Amino acid sequence: MDPEIFDQFLEQLERYVRERLIPAEKQVIADDRIPDEIVTEMKDMGLFGLTVPEEYGGAGLNTSQYAKVVKTMAYAAPAFRSIFSINVGMFNSAIKNGGTEAQKAEWWPKVAAGSITCFGLTEPGSGSDSAAMATTARPDPDGNGWILNGTKRYITNAPHAEVGLIMARTEKEALPKNAHVSAFIVPMDTPGITVGSPDHKMGQSGSHIADIILEDVHVPGEALLGGETGKGFRFAMMSLDNGRISVGAASTGYARRALDSALRYATERKAFGEPIANFQLIQQMLAESETEIYAAEAMMADVTARADRGENILRKAAAFKVFASEMCGRVVDRVVQIYGGAGYLAEYDAERFFRDARIYRIYEGTTQILQLQIAKHMLREFAEQA
């Protein structure tokens, strides 16, 4: 998108977040769902197709622009970002990197119009460990299609999604570079698909996850992403770079929201006859939080610029996600401390910030898995240079 037009869009989005979404947060929390009219507004604004190319009906945002939108949206309750994040991050990225021209022509216009997507990788017995993936896809003996069987777990947007990108084994034995895993574009109303009840979570009210059960799900040959077996996991991992940027941007935006709340509370709350903001140890927590948010913002600017230049960002996207999500956890912890006893009460926002932020360190790759990934690539590069 043209930079000047994008800046105008971002300014309008900031107003929408503050004037429309934040006032709706209490209703989202009380009902554990986003009001239908707000979802419709978000679709009309084009938020579900931000990264779809313009020729397919999307906004055509580059990675830097899309991350700024996510960060802006994440200032409000996490559910508002979550409902469109799989579209603009992982699903669209997988279609871009691995989809055939026919798949792009079929699915991108639907996604740009607001079709909600989900990403089916995690299972009861496997997440980052693809060798343990149990979902299978076997050739349909009656045609050129496939038959899928298995269970996916913790799938964001599963209760609402119209289409899912489902990872499944197309080979019994684990193969090098995860070539035993393929990806399939599966409409969620396909016979044999059952979506479980939304799981009850620690935080992030209004954002729903659920199991997806696949029992003899028949899909046509055209459902195989890229038209080739053995490349699904690679496409998934490539799309996870965008997913990790999204979580990093969300962590950064939500940390800013929490810090702004703490600033407001610290200037209003009085102790010993003066605002607690005057106390140096309160100021230390505020300053540490500001410093860390600024560092995350700088990392976001760097990794997204690299992505837009076409660089391999696997390691840096992982590093950004690790730092930003851990940073957000530290910030919301300080915010609870600044609120004091009030920070432990559900009546105040600090308690919600603390619960909402905890998942950022877990999904799209736990901190520990990503640290292993970062170190593995560091050691590989060192060995190649030796």
Side-chain angles (χ1 to χ4, degrees), residues 307-345:
D308 289 334
R309 292 197 296 267
E311 296 181 21
N312 184 332
I313 59 164
L314 187 151
R315 196 170 90 190
K316 286 182 169 54
F320 170 50
K321 194 270 183 183
V322 167
F323 179 82
S325 61
E326 294 286 342
M327 171 277 295
C328 187
R330 291 189 292 270
V331 169
V332 295
D333 185 70
R334 295 186 195 114
V335 169
V336 170
Q337 197 71 12
I338 290 168
Y339 269 75
Y344 202 68
L345 302 181

PDB file of all heavy atoms in Angstrom, residues 307-345:
ATOM      1  N   ALA A 307      12.349  -8.462   6.232  1.00  0.00           N
ATOM      2  CA  ALA A 307      11.377  -9.298   5.511  1.00  0.00           C
ATOM      3  C   ALA A 307      10.981  -8.636   4.201  1.00  0.00           C
ATOM      4  O   ALA A 307      10.872  -9.300   3.157  1.00  0.00           O
ATOM      5  CB  ALA A 307      10.155  -9.547   6.379  1.00  0.00           C
ATOM      6  N   ASP A 308      10.763  -7.342   4.234  1.00  0.00           N
ATOM      7  CA  ASP A 308      10.357  -6.629   3.022  1.00  0.00           C
ATOM      8  C   ASP A 308      11.473  -6.570   1.977  1.00  0.00           C
ATOM      9  O   ASP A 308      11.197  -6.407   0.795  1.00  0.00           O
ATOM     10  CB  ASP A 308       9.893  -5.209   3.377  1.00  0.00           C
ATOM     11  CG  ASP A 308       8.553  -5.194   4.100  1.00  0.00           C
ATOM     12  OD1 ASP A 308       7.776  -6.146   3.903  1.00  0.00           O
ATOM     13  OD2 ASP A 308       8.293  -4.245   4.861  1.00  0.00           O
ATOM     14  N   ARG A 309      12.718  -6.729   2.435  1.00  0.00           N
ATOM     15  CA  ARG A 309      13.840  -6.783   1.491  1.00  0.00           C
ATOM     16  C   ARG A 309      14.073  -8.197   0.959  1.00  0.00           C
ATOM     17  O   ARG A 309      14.963  -8.418   0.137  1.00  0.00           O
ATOM     18  CB  ARG A 309      15.122  -6.281   2.168  1.00  0.00           C
ATOM     19  CG  ARG A 309      15.121  -4.798   2.488  1.00  0.00           C
ATOM     20  CD  ARG A 309      16.538  -4.297   2.765  1.00  0.00           C
ATOM     21  NE  ARG A 309      17.126  -4.909   3.946  1.00  0.00           N
ATOM     22  CZ  ARG A 309      17.078  -4.397   5.183  1.00  0.00           C
ATOM     23  NH1 ARG A 309      16.424  -3.246   5.393  1.00  0.00           N
ATOM     24  NH2 ARG A 309      17.663  -5.005   6.192  1.00  0.00           N
ATOM     25  N   GLY A 310      13.282  -9.147   1.447  1.00  0.00           N
ATOM     26  CA  GLY A 310      13.401 -10.508   0.967  1.00  0.00           C
ATOM     27  C   GLY A 310      14.441 -11.340   1.678  1.00  0.00           C
ATOM     28  O   GLY A 310      14.800 -12.436   1.211  1.00  0.00           O
ATOM     29  N   GLU A 311      14.935 -10.884   2.816  1.00  0.00           N
ATOM     30  CA  GLU A 311      15.934 -11.643   3.562  1.00  0.00           C
ATOM     31  C   GLU A 311      15.292 -12.820   4.292  1.00  0.00           C
ATOM     32  O   GLU A 311      14.088 -12.819   4.563  1.00  0.00           O
ATOM     33  CB  GLU A 311      16.638 -10.737   4.590  1.00  0.00           C
ATOM     34  CG  GLU A 311      17.433  -9.600   3.987  1.00  0.00           C
ATOM     35  CD  GLU A 311      18.136  -8.753   5.054  1.00  0.00           C
ATOM     36  OE1 GLU A 311      18.340  -9.271   6.175  1.00  0.00           O
ATOM     37  OE2 GLU A 311      18.461  -7.583   4.773  1.00  0.00           O
ATOM     38  N   ASN A 312      16.102 -13.816   4.608  1.00  0.00           N
ATOM     39  CA  ASN A 312      15.650 -14.919   5.449  1.00  0.00           C
ATOM     40  C   ASN A 312      15.575 -14.407   6.890  1.00  0.00           C
ATOM     41  O   ASN A 312      16.596 -14.053   7.488  1.00  0.00           O
ATOM     42  CB  ASN A 312      16.628 -16.097   5.358  1.00  0.00           C
ATOM     43  CG  ASN A 312      16.151 -17.313   6.137  1.00  0.00           C
ATOM     44  OD1 ASN A 312      15.426 -17.195   7.113  1.00  0.00           O
ATOM     45  ND2 ASN A 312      16.573 -18.490   5.709  1.00  0.00           N
ATOM     46  N   ILE A 313      14.372 -14.378   7.443  1.00  0.00           N
ATOM     47  CA  ILE A 313      14.193 -13.770   8.771  1.00  0.00           C
ATOM     48  C   ILE A 313      13.876 -14.808   9.851  1.00  0.00           C
ATOM     49  O   ILE A 313      13.478 -14.429  10.962  1.00  0.00           O
ATOM     50  CB  ILE A 313      13.066 -12.722   8.744  1.00  0.00           C
ATOM     51  CG1 ILE A 313      11.743 -13.365   8.300  1.00  0.00           C
ATOM     52  CG2 ILE A 313      13.448 -11.534   7.869  1.00  0.00           C
ATOM     53  CD1 ILE A 313      10.524 -12.524   8.599  1.00  0.00           C
ATOM     54  N   LEU A 314      14.044 -16.083   9.546  1.00  0.00           N
ATOM     55  CA  LEU A 314      13.651 -17.121  10.497  1.00  0.00           C
ATOM     56  C   LEU A 314      14.220 -16.852  11.886  1.00  0.00           C
ATOM     57  O   LEU A 314      13.494 -16.858  12.885  1.00  0.00           O
ATOM     58  CB  LEU A 314      14.096 -18.489   9.978  1.00  0.00           C
ATOM     59  CG  LEU A 314      13.634 -19.720  10.761  1.00  0.00           C
ATOM     60  CD1 LEU A 314      13.500 -20.912   9.827  1.00  0.00           C
ATOM     61  CD2 LEU A 314      14.583 -20.061  11.902  1.00  0.00           C
ATOM     62  N   ARG A 315      15.528 -16.628  11.959  1.00  0.00           N
ATOM     63  CA  ARG A 315      16.175 -16.451  13.265  1.00  0.00           C
ATOM     64  C   ARG A 315      15.749 -15.154  13.937  1.00  0.00           C
ATOM     65  O   ARG A 315      15.473 -15.113  15.127  1.00  0.00           O
ATOM     66  CB  ARG A 315      17.694 -16.493  13.095  1.00  0.00           C
ATOM     67  CG  ARG A 315      18.439 -16.716  14.404  1.00  0.00           C
ATOM     68  CD  ARG A 315      19.900 -16.998  14.127  1.00  0.00           C
ATOM     69  NE  ARG A 315      20.682 -15.766  14.110  1.00  0.00           N
ATOM     70  CZ  ARG A 315      21.945 -15.696  13.706  1.00  0.00           C
ATOM     71  NH1 ARG A 315      22.552 -16.766  13.254  1.00  0.00           N
ATOM     72  NH2 ARG A 315      22.603 -14.555  13.735  1.00  0.00           N
ATOM     73  N   LYS A 316      15.676 -14.097  13.138  1.00  0.00           N
ATOM     74  CA  LYS A 316      15.353 -12.796  13.735  1.00  0.00           C
ATOM     75  C   LYS A 316      13.878 -12.687  14.104  1.00  0.00           C
ATOM     76  O   LYS A 316      13.518 -12.022  15.076  1.00  0.00           O
ATOM     77  CB  LYS A 316      15.794 -11.674  12.801  1.00  0.00           C
ATOM     78  CG  LYS A 316      17.309 -11.495  12.801  1.00  0.00           C
ATOM     79  CD  LYS A 316      17.771 -10.365  11.931  1.00  0.00           C
ATOM     80  CE  LYS A 316      19.247 -10.054  12.189  1.00  0.00           C
ATOM     81  NZ  LYS A 316      20.116 -11.239  12.057  1.00  0.00           N
ATOM     82  N   ALA A 317      12.997 -13.332  13.326  1.00  0.00           N
ATOM     83  CA  ALA A 317      11.582 -13.356  13.709  1.00  0.00           C
ATOM     84  C   ALA A 317      11.408 -14.104  15.022  1.00  0.00           C
ATOM     85  O   ALA A 317      10.629 -13.701  15.898  1.00  0.00           O
ATOM     86  CB  ALA A 317      10.746 -14.002  12.613  1.00  0.00           C
ATOM     87  N   ALA A 318      12.157 -15.200  15.181  1.00  0.00           N
ATOM     88  CA  ALA A 318      12.107 -15.950  16.440  1.00  0.00           C
ATOM     89  C   ALA A 318      12.632 -15.099  17.589  1.00  0.00           C
ATOM     90  O   ALA A 318      12.050 -15.079  18.683  1.00  0.00           O
ATOM     91  CB  ALA A 318      12.911 -17.240  16.306  1.00  0.00           C
ATOM     92  N   ALA A 319      13.730 -14.393  17.357  1.00  0.00           N
ATOM     93  CA  ALA A 319      14.313 -13.554  18.408  1.00  0.00           C
ATOM     94  C   ALA A 319      13.366 -12.429  18.813  1.00  0.00           C
ATOM     95  O   ALA A 319      13.220 -12.115  20.008  1.00  0.00           O
ATOM     96  CB  ALA A 319      15.645 -12.987  17.932  1.00  0.00           C
ATOM     97  N   PHE A 320      12.716 -11.825  17.834  1.00  0.00           N
ATOM     98  CA  PHE A 320      11.757 -10.757  18.133  1.00  0.00           C
ATOM     99  C   PHE A 320      10.596 -11.289  18.948  1.00  0.00           C
ATOM    100  O   PHE A 320      10.191 -10.692  19.945  1.00  0.00           O
ATOM    101  CB  PHE A 320      11.262 -10.132  16.827  1.00  0.00           C
ATOM    102  CG  PHE A 320      10.103  -9.182  16.996  1.00  0.00           C
ATOM    103  CD1 PHE A 320      10.140  -8.165  17.935  1.00  0.00           C
ATOM    104  CD2 PHE A 320       8.962  -9.307  16.201  1.00  0.00           C
ATOM    105  CE1 PHE A 320       9.056  -7.286  18.097  1.00  0.00           C
ATOM    106  CE2 PHE A 320       7.894  -8.446  16.341  1.00  0.00           C
ATOM    107  CZ  PHE A 320       7.938  -7.431  17.305  1.00  0.00           C
ATOM    108  N   LYS A 321      10.067 -12.439  18.548  1.00  0.00           N
ATOM    109  CA  LYS A 321       8.938 -13.017  19.271  1.00  0.00           C
ATOM    110  C   LYS A 321       9.338 -13.358  20.699  1.00  0.00           C
ATOM    111  O   LYS A 321       8.586 -13.099  21.650  1.00  0.00           O
ATOM    112  CB  LYS A 321       8.429 -14.253  18.532  1.00  0.00           C
ATOM    113  CG  LYS A 321       7.055 -14.753  18.986  1.00  0.00           C
ATOM    114  CD  LYS A 321       7.141 -15.767  20.099  1.00  0.00           C
ATOM    115  CE  LYS A 321       5.775 -16.314  20.484  1.00  0.00           C
ATOM    116  NZ  LYS A 321       5.828 -17.253  21.614  1.00  0.00           N
ATOM    117  N   VAL A 322      10.509 -13.951  20.892  1.00  0.00           N
ATOM    118  CA  VAL A 322      10.989 -14.292  22.238  1.00  0.00           C
ATOM    119  C   VAL A 322      11.108 -13.037  23.082  1.00  0.00           C
ATOM    120  O   VAL A 322      10.571 -12.962  24.204  1.00  0.00           O
ATOM    121  CB  VAL A 322      12.342 -15.029  22.170  1.00  0.00           C
ATOM    122  CG1 VAL A 322      12.980 -15.094  23.559  1.00  0.00           C
ATOM    123  CG2 VAL A 322      12.158 -16.433  21.623  1.00  0.00           C
ATOM    124  N   PHE A 323      11.812 -12.041  22.570  1.00  0.00           N
ATOM    125  CA  PHE A 323      12.046 -10.844  23.380  1.00  0.00           C
ATOM    126  C   PHE A 323      10.747 -10.108  23.688  1.00  0.00           C
ATOM    127  O   PHE A 323      10.477  -9.734  24.831  1.00  0.00           O
ATOM    128  CB  PHE A 323      13.011  -9.889  22.679  1.00  0.00           C
ATOM    129  CG  PHE A 323      13.263  -8.635  23.486  1.00  0.00           C
ATOM    130  CD1 PHE A 323      14.189  -8.634  24.516  1.00  0.00           C
ATOM    131  CD2 PHE A 323      12.550  -7.474  23.232  1.00  0.00           C
ATOM    132  CE1 PHE A 323      14.396  -7.494  25.284  1.00  0.00           C
ATOM    133  CE2 PHE A 323      12.746  -6.333  23.994  1.00  0.00           C
ATOM    134  CZ  PHE A 323      13.680  -6.344  25.023  1.00  0.00           C
ATOM    135  N   ALA A 324       9.919  -9.892  22.655  1.00  0.00           N
ATOM    136  CA  ALA A 324       8.703  -9.095  22.846  1.00  0.00           C
ATOM    137  C   ALA A 324       7.715  -9.774  23.787  1.00  0.00           C
ATOM    138  O   ALA A 324       7.103  -9.124  24.641  1.00  0.00           O
ATOM    139  CB  ALA A 324       8.046  -8.810  21.501  1.00  0.00           C
ATOM    140  N   SER A 325       7.564 -11.091  23.657  1.00  0.00           N
ATOM    141  CA  SER A 325       6.603 -11.788  24.518  1.00  0.00           C
ATOM    142  C   SER A 325       7.094 -11.847  25.960  1.00  0.00           C
ATOM    143  O   SER A 325       6.312 -11.657  26.902  1.00  0.00           O
ATOM    144  CB  SER A 325       6.336 -13.195  23.982  1.00  0.00           C
ATOM    145  OG  SER A 325       7.507 -13.979  23.963  1.00  0.00           O
ATOM    146  N   GLU A 326       8.391 -12.082  26.149  1.00  0.00           N
ATOM    147  CA  GLU A 326       8.938 -12.081  27.505  1.00  0.00           C
ATOM    148  C   GLU A 326       8.907 -10.675  28.094  1.00  0.00           C
ATOM    149  O   GLU A 326       8.627 -10.486  29.282  1.00  0.00           O
ATOM    150  CB  GLU A 326      10.368 -12.625  27.496  1.00  0.00           C
ATOM    151  CG  GLU A 326      10.483 -14.100  27.114  1.00  0.00           C
ATOM    152  CD  GLU A 326      10.026 -15.040  28.219  1.00  0.00           C
ATOM    153  OE1 GLU A 326       9.935 -14.604  29.382  1.00  0.00           O
ATOM    154  OE2 GLU A 326       9.758 -16.218  27.913  1.00  0.00           O
ATOM    155  N   MET A 327       9.188  -9.689  27.258  1.00  0.00           N
ATOM    156  CA  MET A 327       9.120  -8.299  27.692  1.00  0.00           C
ATOM    157  C   MET A 327       7.722  -7.938  28.161  1.00  0.00           C
ATOM    158  O   MET A 327       7.529  -7.316  29.221  1.00  0.00           O
ATOM    159  CB  MET A 327       9.548  -7.383  26.539  1.00  0.00           C
ATOM    160  CG  MET A 327       9.335  -5.899  26.767  1.00  0.00           C
ATOM    161  SD  MET A 327       7.651  -5.261  26.426  1.00  0.00           S
ATOM    162  CE  MET A 327       7.520  -5.518  24.681  1.00  0.00           C
ATOM    163  N   CYS A 328       6.714  -8.354  27.390  1.00  0.00           N
ATOM    164  CA  CYS A 328       5.335  -8.052  27.756  1.00  0.00           C
ATOM    165  C   CYS A 328       4.991  -8.671  29.111  1.00  0.00           C
ATOM    166  O   CYS A 328       4.327  -8.055  29.942  1.00  0.00           O
ATOM    167  CB  CYS A 328       4.382  -8.568  26.683  1.00  0.00           C
ATOM    168  SG  CYS A 328       2.661  -8.091  26.907  1.00  0.00           S
ATOM    169  N   GLY A 329       5.486  -9.888  29.347  1.00  0.00           N
ATOM    170  CA  GLY A 329       5.265 -10.528  30.634  1.00  0.00           C
ATOM    171  C   GLY A 329       5.876  -9.736  31.782  1.00  0.00           C
ATOM    172  O   GLY A 329       5.267  -9.603  32.857  1.00  0.00           O
ATOM    173  N   ARG A 330       7.061  -9.197  31.565  1.00  0.00           N
ATOM    174  CA  ARG A 330       7.702  -8.396  32.615  1.00  0.00           C
ATOM    175  C   ARG A 330       6.963  -7.087  32.840  1.00  0.00           C
ATOM    176  O   ARG A 330       6.790  -6.641  33.983  1.00  0.00           O
ATOM    177  CB  ARG A 330       9.167  -8.135  32.249  1.00  0.00           C
ATOM    178  CG  ARG A 330      10.057  -9.373  32.303  1.00  0.00           C
ATOM    179  CD  ARG A 330      11.516  -9.006  32.149  1.00  0.00           C
ATOM    180  NE  ARG A 330      11.839  -8.503  30.825  1.00  0.00           N
ATOM    181  CZ  ARG A 330      12.221  -9.256  29.794  1.00  0.00           C
ATOM    182  NH1 ARG A 330      12.301 -10.575  29.925  1.00  0.00           N
ATOM    183  NH2 ARG A 330      12.531  -8.708  28.630  1.00  0.00           N
ATOM    184  N   VAL A 331       6.509  -6.476  31.761  1.00  0.00           N
ATOM    185  CA  VAL A 331       5.806  -5.200  31.888  1.00  0.00           C
ATOM    186  C   VAL A 331       4.495  -5.367  32.650  1.00  0.00           C
ATOM    187  O   VAL A 331       4.209  -4.602  33.580  1.00  0.00           O
ATOM    188  CB  VAL A 331       5.557  -4.577  30.498  1.00  0.00           C
ATOM    189  CG1 VAL A 331       4.582  -3.392  30.600  1.00  0.00           C
ATOM    190  CG2 VAL A 331       6.869  -4.113  29.870  1.00  0.00           C
ATOM    191  N   VAL A 332       3.689  -6.367  32.274  1.00  0.00           N
ATOM    192  CA  VAL A 332       2.399  -6.516  32.958  1.00  0.00           C
ATOM    193  C   VAL A 332       2.592  -6.914  34.414  1.00  0.00           C
ATOM    194  O   VAL A 332       1.777  -6.571  35.277  1.00  0.00           O
ATOM    195  CB  VAL A 332       1.483  -7.531  32.234  1.00  0.00           C
ATOM    196  CG1 VAL A 332       1.106  -7.024  30.851  1.00  0.00           C
ATOM    197  CG2 VAL A 332       2.098  -8.916  32.160  1.00  0.00           C
ATOM    198  N   ASP A 333       3.679  -7.618  34.712  1.00  0.00           N
ATOM    199  CA  ASP A 333       3.975  -7.948  36.103  1.00  0.00           C
ATOM    200  C   ASP A 333       4.278  -6.671  36.897  1.00  0.00           C
ATOM    201  O   ASP A 333       3.810  -6.495  38.027  1.00  0.00           O
ATOM    202  CB  ASP A 333       5.160  -8.916  36.169  1.00  0.00           C
ATOM    203  CG  ASP A 333       5.427  -9.390  37.582  1.00  0.00           C
ATOM    204  OD1 ASP A 333       4.615 -10.156  38.122  1.00  0.00           O
ATOM    205  OD2 ASP A 333       6.453  -8.975  38.167  1.00  0.00           O
ATOM    206  N   ARG A 334       5.061  -5.778  36.305  1.00  0.00           N
ATOM    207  CA  ARG A 334       5.343  -4.499  36.974  1.00  0.00           C
ATOM    208  C   ARG A 334       4.068  -3.678  37.135  1.00  0.00           C
ATOM    209  O   ARG A 334       3.887  -2.983  38.143  1.00  0.00           O
ATOM    210  CB  ARG A 334       6.369  -3.698  36.169  1.00  0.00           C
ATOM    211  CG  ARG A 334       7.750  -4.325  36.090  1.00  0.00           C
ATOM    212  CD  ARG A 334       8.733  -3.382  35.389  1.00  0.00           C
ATOM    213  NE  ARG A 334       9.937  -4.096  34.986  1.00  0.00           N
ATOM    214  CZ  ARG A 334      10.298  -4.309  33.737  1.00  0.00           C
ATOM    215  NH1 ARG A 334       9.541  -3.857  32.732  1.00  0.00           N
ATOM    216  NH2 ARG A 334      11.413  -4.959  33.460  1.00  0.00           N
ATOM    217  N   VAL A 335       3.198  -3.749  36.126  1.00  0.00           N
ATOM    218  CA  VAL A 335       1.961  -2.972  36.193  1.00  0.00           C
ATOM    219  C   VAL A 335       1.104  -3.436  37.369  1.00  0.00           C
ATOM    220  O   VAL A 335       0.542  -2.623  38.107  1.00  0.00           O
ATOM    221  CB  VAL A 335       1.189  -3.076  34.859  1.00  0.00           C
ATOM    222  CG1 VAL A 335      -0.215  -2.495  34.981  1.00  0.00           C
ATOM    223  CG2 VAL A 335       1.960  -2.358  33.753  1.00  0.00           C
ATOM    224  N   VAL A 336       1.010  -4.753  37.553  1.00  0.00           N
ATOM    225  CA  VAL A 336       0.282  -5.267  38.719  1.00  0.00           C
ATOM    226  C   VAL A 336       0.921  -4.741  40.004  1.00  0.00           C
ATOM    227  O   VAL A 336       0.230  -4.324  40.942  1.00  0.00           O
ATOM    228  CB  VAL A 336       0.265  -6.810  38.721  1.00  0.00           C
ATOM    229  CG1 VAL A 336      -0.264  -7.357  40.049  1.00  0.00           C
ATOM    230  CG2 VAL A 336      -0.575  -7.333  37.566  1.00  0.00           C
ATOM    231  N   GLN A 337       2.231  -4.728  40.048  1.00  0.00           N
ATOM    232  CA  GLN A 337       2.942  -4.251  41.240  1.00  0.00           C
ATOM    233  C   GLN A 337       2.681  -2.769  41.483  1.00  0.00           C
ATOM    234  O   GLN A 337       2.505  -2.336  42.634  1.00  0.00           O
ATOM    235  CB  GLN A 337       4.444  -4.510  41.080  1.00  0.00           C
ATOM    236  CG  GLN A 337       5.232  -4.442  42.375  1.00  0.00           C
ATOM    237  CD  GLN A 337       4.941  -5.624  43.292  1.00  0.00           C
ATOM    238  OE1 GLN A 337       4.320  -6.591  42.875  1.00  0.00           O
ATOM    239  NE2 GLN A 337       5.366  -5.535  44.527  1.00  0.00           N
ATOM    240  N   ILE A 338       2.624  -1.993  40.430  1.00  0.00           N
ATOM    241  CA  ILE A 338       2.346  -0.556  40.569  1.00  0.00           C
ATOM    242  C   ILE A 338       0.934  -0.335  41.091  1.00  0.00           C
ATOM    243  O   ILE A 338       0.685   0.541  41.932  1.00  0.00           O
ATOM    244  CB  ILE A 338       2.570   0.159  39.216  1.00  0.00           C
ATOM    245  CG1 ILE A 338       4.065   0.188  38.889  1.00  0.00           C
ATOM    246  CG2 ILE A 338       1.997   1.578  39.239  1.00  0.00           C
ATOM    247  CD1 ILE A 338       4.384   0.614  37.467  1.00  0.00           C
ATOM    248  N   TYR A 339       0.019  -1.145  40.627  1.00  0.00           N
ATOM    249  CA  TYR A 339      -1.352  -1.054  41.131  1.00  0.00           C
ATOM    250  C   TYR A 339      -1.465  -1.518  42.585  1.00  0.00           C
ATOM    251  O   TYR A 339      -2.443  -1.207  43.269  1.00  0.00           O
ATOM    252  CB  TYR A 339      -2.276  -1.921  40.263  1.00  0.00           C
ATOM    253  CG  TYR A 339      -2.917  -1.227  39.092  1.00  0.00           C
ATOM    254  CD1 TYR A 339      -2.188  -0.929  37.944  1.00  0.00           C
ATOM    255  CD2 TYR A 339      -4.263  -0.907  39.105  1.00  0.00           C
ATOM    256  CE1 TYR A 339      -2.780  -0.328  36.851  1.00  0.00           C
ATOM    257  CE2 TYR A 339      -4.884  -0.297  38.023  1.00  0.00           C
ATOM    258  CZ  TYR A 339      -4.123  -0.010  36.889  1.00  0.00           C
ATOM    259  OH  TYR A 339      -4.721   0.594  35.810  1.00  0.00           O
ATOM    260  N   GLY A 340      -0.504  -2.304  43.046  1.00  0.00           N
ATOM    261  CA  GLY A 340      -0.557  -2.805  44.408  1.00  0.00           C
ATOM    262  C   GLY A 340      -1.697  -3.784  44.602  1.00  0.00           C
ATOM    263  O   GLY A 340      -1.985  -4.613  43.735  1.00  0.00           O
ATOM    264  N   GLY A 341      -2.374  -3.673  45.731  1.00  0.00           N
ATOM    265  CA  GLY A 341      -3.482  -4.582  46.022  1.00  0.00           C
ATOM    266  C   GLY A 341      -4.566  -4.537  44.972  1.00  0.00           C
ATOM    267  O   GLY A 341      -5.197  -5.557  44.650  1.00  0.00           O
ATOM    268  N   ALA A 342      -4.792  -3.361  44.396  1.00  0.00           N
ATOM    269  CA  ALA A 342      -5.813  -3.218  43.359  1.00  0.00           C
ATOM    270  C   ALA A 342      -5.455  -4.036  42.120  1.00  0.00           C
ATOM    271  O   ALA A 342      -6.342  -4.463  41.372  1.00  0.00           O
ATOM    272  CB  ALA A 342      -5.985  -1.749  42.985  1.00  0.00           C
ATOM    273  N   GLY A 343      -4.161  -4.270  41.906  1.00  0.00           N
ATOM    274  CA  GLY A 343      -3.731  -5.028  40.742  1.00  0.00           C
ATOM    275  C   GLY A 343      -4.135  -6.483  40.780  1.00  0.00           C
ATOM    276  O   GLY A 343      -4.104  -7.159  39.756  1.00  0.00           O
ATOM    277  N   TYR A 344      -4.526  -6.966  41.956  1.00  0.00           N
ATOM    278  CA  TYR A 344      -4.929  -8.359  42.110  1.00  0.00           C
ATOM    279  C   TYR A 344      -6.433  -8.535  41.967  1.00  0.00           C
ATOM    280  O   TYR A 344      -6.936  -9.658  41.986  1.00  0.00           O
ATOM    281  CB  TYR A 344      -4.464  -8.870  43.482  1.00  0.00           C
ATOM    282  CG  TYR A 344      -4.338 -10.372  43.571  1.00  0.00           C
ATOM    283  CD1 TYR A 344      -3.356 -11.047  42.856  1.00  0.00           C
ATOM    284  CD2 TYR A 344      -5.202 -11.113  44.371  1.00  0.00           C
ATOM    285  CE1 TYR A 344      -3.239 -12.427  42.938  1.00  0.00           C
ATOM    286  CE2 TYR A 344      -5.090 -12.498  44.464  1.00  0.00           C
ATOM    287  CZ  TYR A 344      -4.107 -13.149  43.744  1.00  0.00           C
ATOM    288  OH  TYR A 344      -3.991 -14.523  43.819  1.00  0.00           O
ATOM    289  N   LEU A 345      -7.151  -7.433  41.820  1.00  0.00           N
ATOM    290  CA  LEU A 345      -8.602  -7.475  41.737  1.00  0.00           C
ATOM    291  C   LEU A 345      -9.068  -7.434  40.290  1.00  0.00           C
ATOM    292  O   LEU A 345      -8.552  -6.654  39.477  1.00  0.00           O
ATOM    293  CB  LEU A 345      -9.216  -6.298  42.502  1.00  0.00           C
ATOM    294  CG  LEU A 345      -8.859  -6.178  43.985  1.00  0.00           C
ATOM    295  CD1 LEU A 345      -9.571  -4.962  44.588  1.00  0.00           C
ATOM    296  CD2 LEU A 345      -9.235  -7.445  44.743  1.00  0.00           C
TER     297      LEU A 345
END
